[in-house]
Amino acid sequence: PLAHPQFAKIVDECRAVRLPIHLTTNGTLLTKKENADLLLDGIFRQVNFSVQSYFANPQLQTLGDYLKPIFHWSKQALAQRPDLYINY
């Protein structure tokens, strides 16, 4: 979903009608600040990280390097949004 060109607009539409978002992502686009920041919006109720996608794709990095930005974002997210559910 983070790669969708209208992702921010979709989030805006959900916010306008107060529709909570439960998002599943592989986390690879969290390195883009606008994506990382947008997922902290209060309209997100839950963020799921499909870490099995690491094994389904050619490994261009170690598992630790793949997980590092996901865990970094999660730590920051929970500091700002303790109500956010995060699943791996």
Side-chain angles (χ1 to χ4, degrees), residues 14-85:
C14 291
R15 190 182 309 106
V17 296
R18 297 181 182 184
L19 179 66
I21 299 172
H22 294 224
L23 180 97
T24 300
T25 179
N26 63 12
T28 58
L29 295 178
L30 281 177
T31 55
K32 293 186 177 184
K33 184 170 174 25
E34 62 271 13
N35 288 336
D37 290 347
L38 186 57
L39 291 182
L40 294 175
D41 188 293
I43 199 66
F44 287 91
R45 172 134 169 80
Q46 181 170 314
V47 177
N48 305 305
F49 291 101
S50 176
V51 294
Q52 72 181 25
S53 65
Y54 172 81
F55 300 103
N57 296 298
Q59 285 83 34
L60 301 176
Q61 57 187 341
T62 67
L63 180 59
D65 288 340
Y66 174 79
L67 293 173
K68 190 174 185 176
I70 292 171
F71 292 150
H72 177 75
W73 179 86
S74 297
K75 185 177 179 181
Q76 290 183 323
L78 289 175
Q80 294 179 44
R81 293 270 326 275
D83 62 314
L84 181 65
Y85 292 95

